[in-house]
Amino acid sequence: MEARVAVDTPTVIRREDYTPPDYLVDTVNLDLDLMPSETTVTATSAMRLNPDSKGNVSSISLSAQHMEIDTVSVDGVLLPSQAWRHDGETLEIGAPEAEAFDLTIVSRIKPHENTRLEGLYMSGGMYCTQCEAEGFRTITPFPDRPDVMAIYTTTLRADKALFPILLSNGNPTSAGDLPDGRHFATWDDPWPKPSYLFAAVAGDLGVVEDSFTTRSGREVALRIYVELGEEHLCGHAMESLKRSMRWDEEAYGLEYDLDLFMIVAVSHFNMGAMENKGLNIFNSSCILADPETATDADFRRVEAIVAHEYFHNWTGNRITCRDWFQLSLKEGLTVYREQEFVSDTHSRAVQRIGDVRMLRSAQFPEDAGPLAHPIRPESYIEINNFYTMTVYEKGAEVVRMIRALVGVDGFRKGMDLYVQRHDGTAATCDDFVSAMADANGVDLSHFQRWYGQAGTPVLTVSMSHDPGSETLTLTVGQSTPATPGQPDKQPLTIPLAFGLIDRNGDELPLEGIDGTVGDSSATTAIVPITETEQKIIVENVPNAPVPSLLRGFSAPVTLKAELDDDALYFLMAHDRDAFVRWDSGQTAALRMMLSSVDAVARGEVMPAVDPRLINALTRTLEDASLDAAFRAEALRLPGSADLGRAMEVIDVDGIDAVQTATRRAVGRQLRDGLLSTYKTFSTAHPATDFSTEAMAERDLANVCLSYLVAGGEPDDIALAAAQARETSMTAVMAALVALNEVDDPARQTALAAFENRWIDTPLVLDKWFSLKAGTGLPRVHEDVLALLSHPKFDMGRPNRVRAVVGAFSRNQVRFHEADGRGHRFLADILIDLQGRNPQVAARLAQPLARWRRFDPIRQASMRKELERIAATPDLSKDVYEVVSKSLA
Ligand code: TRP
Ligand code: ZN
């Protein structure tokens, strides 16, 4: 007898089960009739049997969810209702005799009731769509998988007064009036695309227009659509778009391929933005920016995300993914391209430091927890759960390592071949690696293990020097910890970029090392580490140097190098490689802070901050020859995530106590230097200057301000309170973030004024919600509960939910209070949210997955809440997957 599976255990989808589609779709004719109570969708697909399909095809099987199906016709002939069956997931239609036919389906959906924000839904009075990954199946029954690529013609019909703007992918071909005050517009997208790139928008929108001339001389109209009254907030996004278009031509020879490129900003959106062909849809937080309402960091984010979505036009749209296991093919590569664009536009060193900071604080923990997966996962329950730091950020690191192995020119050759081979198709990660290998005549088969193996490798390096033979030996070892489903790991190809620095601070020449690759230079060697243990021999080294290891963070690994503190401070002062200079400072600070956490845990008094760290920070503060952006980064201490990651068991309270004490000590001991640097840079540029230099100098000033406030002098708190009354959002937010950690009336006053000033501006009010939920001060629990009944709280708007819940769960010391009320708060929210918006709920659930990293009391409380969520009736499969894997 067959084992009975519980009816509600969701199906696991496996990469090895991939089979080609039974039917292909050449064209789709889609008609969306947008009526007040429901939308009628009529879809005619020109289908034909796939010559590559396996086996007998007895039915057409289409994905179809959250809809009522009215009629099904083949070649214009209505099928009797016994000829098809819809079970709420799938529409099965008896296979027609013909090999090619037109299938027409009429169905009805309710966008007004769609709280999932997937498929067709309403946002702030407008209709919009979100189809990636599998939202198209909630609009019309379809073979909703990325290897089915079709040419779409879309007609929208709607009330003309309420929805004067009707948009879809491609070019507008006809439009006109209909009876009863309605109108229509038809759009044609000439490029075959997978269904996840379909988009449609209807609304009463403002528009900002511009144009771009491609390098072959074609003029492209650019339009950004926003809610009425927001038009003045689009300038930065438009400039970023034009720079991205130019960059892709210059860096990769890739031109835009339609006459029109549109972006629509919406207020209700599950993630950052979406690369729909010719019609990107953005979370308005990633488009709208002016100096009064957006910080410099917001400006950078808008620029990066606009670029990211634009770059998808080639890496994602023209060449898409064969199946969702290949997601990193487009996401890892596009993140890499976005990072390179920002590096070329601003500061390469500072971009790298920021990317590494994020990778370590968010991807490394994911790779070390119960949700760890390779950049190309082997299985999933809900694909939306795999838009992760691993697929995106580690995926970008894997692409970057290929560049390290083949060099910049080799990488460009590989990209050219990849585009030449796969343009217009749905490709795999293997295809990408093959193109890189073939274009360069190298073998990347060993390297390919990165696609299948999860976990952050540990790279150990020890050095021995023999003065007699003047030989230096680096002994390099690698190992990768076990992850769920992968107990035993194989060695990977790890490009190790390194240099050697002599006692005078000069770089040693590194000619003649065996096996160097890529753009190795006279003083930086790149050696691929492929074995569990490997030796690198350098000749003609008379005196023992200090090694500068993992330059530019040449691989996403944890480096264990046994350098003593003196070596770290030496590298901090002398290394030519900005990343290693920064990282050495971070490692030294981390070491000192960890030993203080240990001391406090043993019951000792808090040790004083190491004077060498104070000296190093002083030098950074005072060295005007250093770039301001680098100085700001080097002055920042490791965060609570960094300290937690380095501990066996995360000591939540100890970490907080040491961070607070260290910041306070730095603020007091460096006060004069901090004040003078603050004064020099806080007003050096007008707030409307968004040059790299102006943003860097403001950042440096604001890092100084945060230490000054931590130092606690009333004059310095007053300085921040005054800055909080300025008009530039960068200044205001920096002051508020600093004040947010001090129990002083100035904090209350500044927060209340901010709330009052921005009560009707949702994107700015989100910042206030985050500040309230993010403070380390003890009253935060009462505040967070009160935020849920704030008149402006809205469980239906993801940005607001994230502002409260996301900020609170990142607030390590308060979220993880030992009494468990933080955990209970999150579980209550998730149970409420998971039915309404499963995708957002599953993301917000992730902090609970890390329960094994805490002490027994906190572990028990987190487990209890996970079990409570698991027991929720009708649990969505998104949350089910996160919770069940966390408890496994
Ligand atoms: N493809 C989008 C990007 O990386 C991300 C994305 C996937 C997305 N699914 C989504 C965005 C759902 C919003 C909603 O650029
Ligand atoms: Zn993307």
Side-chain angles (χ1 to χ4, degrees):
M1 215 178 92
E2 225 177 280
R4 255 191 87 109
V5 186
V7 272
D8 55 356
T9 301
T11 318
V12 177
I13 318 286
R14 292 176 203 285
R15 183 170 73 91
E16 66 198 14
D17 292 343
Y18 174 83
T19 53
D22 290 337
Y23 288 96
L24 299 178
V25 181
D26 292 322
T27 61
V28 182
N29 208 304
L30 201 61
D31 187 294
L32 302 175
D33 194 15
L34 308 166
M35 295 293 277
S37 65
E38 63 184 8
T39 292
T40 302
V41 182
T42 306
T44 298
S45 303
M47 301 188 86
R48 65 187 156 89
L49 267 179
N50 181 3
D52 296 334
S53 110
K54 306 267 179 282
N56 280 336
V57 179
S58 60
S59 67
I60 312 171
S61 182
L62 305 176
S63 303
Q65 296 173 351
H66 302 287
M67 62 176 65
E68 301 293 330
I69 296 173
D70 290 344
T71 63
V72 179
S73 321
V74 171
D75 287 329
V77 179
L78 217 54
L79 297 188
S81 59
Q82 318 85 271
W84 52 271
R85 209 180 75 238
H86 181 218
D87 66 1
E89 283 279 327
T90 312
L91 171 64
E92 295 279 348
I93 306 166
E97 305 249 307
E99 293 206 347
F101 49 87
D102 283 350
L103 177 69
T104 302
I105 300 169
V106 180
S107 57
R108 283 170 293 117
I109 52 179
K110 294 202 184 304
H112 299 82
E113 294 172 10
N114 181 349
T115 57
R116 293 166 283 112
L117 312 189
E118 184 182 59
L120 180 67
Y121 67 94
M122 305 292 299
S123 169
M126 75 173 99
Y127 288 90
C128 64
T129 57
Q130 172 54 43
C131 291
E132 187 174 8
E134 298 179 332
F136 193 71
R137 64 187 59 185
T138 70
I139 297 177
T140 189
F142 202 72
D144 187 16
R145 42 186 290 168
D147 55 354
V148 173
M149 298 174 78
I151 292 179
Y152 286 67
T153 302
T154 305
T155 299
L156 301 164
R157 302 166 200 279
D159 184 274
K160 191 172 181 176
L162 292 173
F163 308 102
I165 307 262
L166 304 174
L167 310 173
S168 190
N169 317 87
N171 305 308
T173 51
S174 64
D177 288 340
L178 296 169
D180 302 324
R182 293 168 60 78
H183 70 149
F184 78 96
T186 299
W187 292 76
D188 253 327
D189 181 2
W191 297 102
K193 65 168 173 285
S195 49
Y196 81 85
L197 291 175
F198 170 79
V201 169
D204 189 0
L205 306 173
V207 63
V208 174
E209 300 194 64
D210 206 326
S211 78
F212 177 83
T213 307
T214 70
R215 64 171 188 171
S216 68
R218 275 185 317 102
E219 181 154 323
V220 180
L222 309 177
R223 295 193 196 135
I224 301 181
Y225 292 92
V226 291
E227 288 183 18
L228 292 168
E230 294 176 339
E231 295 86 342
H232 65 290
L233 300 171
C234 298
H236 180 61
M238 188 66 91
E239 287 310 309
S240 303
L241 174 61
K242 289 191 283 183
R243 271 188 279 114
S244 309
M245 296 178 85
R246 187 62 74 213
W247 185 87
D248 218 9
E249 294 182 343
E250 286 168 357
Y252 291 103
L254 296 173
E255 262 187 58
Y256 187 60
D257 56 0
L258 288 166
D259 300 331
L260 174 59
F261 186 85
M262 297 174 284
I263 293 176
V264 181
V266 303
S267 56
H268 291 61
F269 206 64
N270 283 348
M271 298 219 244
M274 179 63 213
E275 69 264 24
N276 317 301
K277 183 75 187 191
L279 179 57
N280 287 186
I281 298 183
F282 272 61
N283 189 319
S284 52
S285 71
C286 303
I287 284 290
L288 307 178
D290 77 348
E292 208 191 336
T293 59
T295 63
D296 290 350
D298 295 330
F299 271 72
R300 305 284 288 248
R301 199 160 75 109
V302 166
E303 176 182 51
I305 298 183
V306 166
H308 178 105
E309 306 311 330
Y310 175 73
F311 296 150
H312 268 315
N313 190 56
W314 280 94
T315 52
N317 300 4
R318 286 287 287 261
I319 304 175
T320 191
C321 301
R322 186 193 70 173
D323 56 72
W324 291 119
F325 295 103
Q326 318 297 327
L327 183 59
S328 201
L329 173 69
K330 75 175 175 82
E331 295 303 348
L333 179 55
T334 302
V335 170
Y336 168 80
R337 277 152 52 70
E338 164 204 331
Q339 292 172 348
E340 287 299 293
F341 164 73
V342 181
S343 299
D344 287 349
T345 310
H346 300 286
S347 152
R348 178 160 292 268
V350 171
Q351 173 70 19
R352 193 66 188 135
I353 289 167
D355 289 339
V356 174
R357 223 190 252 288
M358 173 158 75
L359 190 79
R360 285 177 173 163
S361 66
Q363 195 278 325
F364 281 16
E366 181 170 89
D367 232 353
L371 304 176
H373 52 276
I375 63 167
R376 182 184 57 204
E378 294 299 340
S379 69
Y380 60 77
I381 290 174
E382 171 51 62
I383 186 57
N384 283 332
N385 285 332
F386 285 79
Y387 289 76
T388 57
M389 293 302 288
T390 297
V391 166
Y392 276 64
E393 308 300 322
K394 187 178 182 179
E397 294 300 319
V398 169
V399 171
R400 187 173 294 282
M401 285 189 287
I402 296 179
R403 191 195 67 179
L405 296 173
V406 302
V408 171
D409 295 343
F411 189 82
R412 171 66 199 269
K413 278 193 247 162
M415 278 293 289
D416 289 350
L417 185 60
Y418 173 62
V419 171
Q420 186 195 319
R421 281 184 181 170
H422 301 290
D423 186 14
T425 72
T428 63
C429 295
D430 288 344
D431 291 332
F432 178 75
V433 178
S434 298
M436 285 288 160
D438 295 350
N440 291 284
V442 296
D443 180 357
L444 292 174
S445 50
H446 187 272
F447 179 84
Q448 259 168 307
R449 289 179 184 171
W450 278 104
Y451 285 86
Q453 193 164 288
T456 305
V458 177
L459 196 70
T460 56
V461 183
S462 60
M463 183 177 90
S464 67
H465 179 250
D466 177 9
S469 63
E470 302 196 337
T471 303
L472 180 91
T473 306
L474 295 175
T475 304
V476 187
Q478 63 162 301
S479 66
T480 302
T483 53
Q486 292 188 335
D488 303 308
K489 304 286 184 173
Q490 295 179 303
L492 300 167
T493 297
I494 298 175
L496 174 61
F498 70 95
L500 299 173
I501 304 174
D502 73 15
R503 283 197 195 122
N504 305 321
D506 294 324
E507 304 256 325
L508 295 185
L510 291 181
E511 282 106 27
I513 297 178
D514 279 351
T516 57
V517 295
D519 298 327
S520 293
S521 69
T523 54
T524 296
I526 306 173
V527 177
I529 305 302
T530 55
E531 310 289 331
T532 306
E533 191 176 296
Q534 199 168 320
K535 290 192 190 308
I536 301 172
I537 315 256
V538 192
E539 312 278 4
N540 303 319
V541 182
N543 301 304
V546 176
S548 162
L549 300 167
L550 209 66
R551 285 188 155 177
F553 197 67
S554 59
V557 300
T558 301
L559 176 67
K560 298 217 164 131
E562 295 168 7
L563 293 179
D564 62 19
D565 289 351
D566 289 338
L568 292 174
Y569 288 112
F570 176 86
L571 289 169
M572 218 177 146
H574 296 293
D575 204 322
R576 308 286 193 283
D577 186 86
F579 168 77
V580 175
R581 225 164 44 231
W582 169 80
D583 197 34
S584 303
Q586 294 292 302
T587 306
L590 188 73
R591 226 178 244 179
M592 189 222 86
M593 292 171 84
L594 285 171
S595 87
S596 299
V597 175
D598 281 348
V600 173
R602 285 193 305 266
E604 297 170 16
V605 292
M606 178 81 65
V609 175
D610 189 328
R612 288 175 302 176
L613 180 66
I614 295 290
N615 285 339
L617 292 174
T618 307
R619 266 203 312 278
T620 304
L621 196 58
E622 289 173 355
D623 186 350
S625 74
L626 289 172
D627 167 55
F630 180 83
R631 285 157 82 190
E633 289 296 351
L635 285 171
R636 292 195 164 95
L637 293 168
S640 53
D642 299 305
L643 288 153
R645 196 158 31 79
M647 303 187 75
E648 196 88 37
V649 175
I650 299 175
D651 177 352
V652 169
D653 295 318
I655 289 172
D656 184 59
V658 168
Q659 283 189 305
T660 307
T662 310
R663 298 180 54 75
R664 189 177 170 84
V666 172
R668 296 194 158 194
Q669 296 183 43
L670 268 63
R671 183 164 185 248
D672 293 345
L674 290 166
L675 269 174
S676 72
T677 308
Y678 174 76
K679 296 216 163 103
T680 307
F681 291 115
S682 61
T683 51
H685 304 268
T688 48
D689 180 351
F690 289 96
S691 63
T692 306
E693 190 196 10
M695 289 198 279
E697 294 187 356
R698 285 195 286 267
D699 192 29
L700 177 55
N702 287 327
V703 173
C704 294
L705 181 67
S706 78
Y707 281 120
L708 288 166
V709 171
E713 286 291 333
D715 281 357
D716 297 343
I717 291 175
L719 201 60
Q723 183 170 316
R725 292 190 292 269
E726 287 180 19
T727 51
S728 128
M729 188 53 72
T730 303
V732 173
M733 273 304 283
L736 286 173
V737 167
L739 288 171
N740 204 25
E741 299 307 317
V742 294
D743 195 3
D744 188 286
R747 170 178 179 264
Q748 302 296 348
T749 310
L751 281 172
F754 189 88
E755 179 192 13
N756 197 38
R757 166 76 182 84
W758 298 108
I759 191 78
D760 290 319
T761 311
L763 284 179
V764 184
L765 198 64
D766 286 336
K767 296 181 190 302
W768 177 85
F769 276 93
S770 288
L771 286 163
K772 296 285 281 184
T775 174
L777 298 175
R779 260 195 56 87
V780 65
H781 292 270
E782 290 81 354
D783 276 3
V784 165
L785 280 172
L787 290 179
L788 299 185
S789 16
H790 190 282
K792 296 289 183 181
F793 186 77
D794 174 4
M795 199 64 135
R797 185 167 159 276
N799 289 3
R800 181 74 24 104
V801 178
R802 279 187 286 257
V804 176
V805 182
F808 180 57
S809 61
R810 281 190 301 273
N811 181 353
Q812 183 162 288
V813 66
R814 293 301 161 207
F815 175 63
H816 290 296
E817 264 180 28
D819 62 10
R821 57 185 165 159
H823 306 145
R824 197 180 333 124
F825 170 84
L826 177 59
D828 286 343
I829 300 263
L830 295 177
I831 289 167
D832 182 17
L833 184 63
Q834 64 88 24
R836 178 206 292 260
N837 189 328
Q839 204 176 323
V840 169
R843 279 183 175 270
L844 290 172
Q846 311 239 351
L848 289 172
R850 313 226 161 107
W851 61 275
R852 285 187 182 82
R853 303 281 292 110
F854 294 87
D855 57 76
I857 291 174
R858 289 176 171 88
Q859 283 197 6
S861 127
M862 293 172 84
R863 276 195 64 129
K864 188 177 91 195
E865 298 305 335
L866 281 167
E867 281 159 6
R868 187 158 67 92
I869 298 166
T872 305
D874 298 321
L875 190 63
S876 73
K877 65 176 179 172
D878 309 55
V879 175
Y880 169 85
E881 179 169 37
V882 172
V883 168
S884 61
K885 286 181 176 174
S886 302
L887 287 168

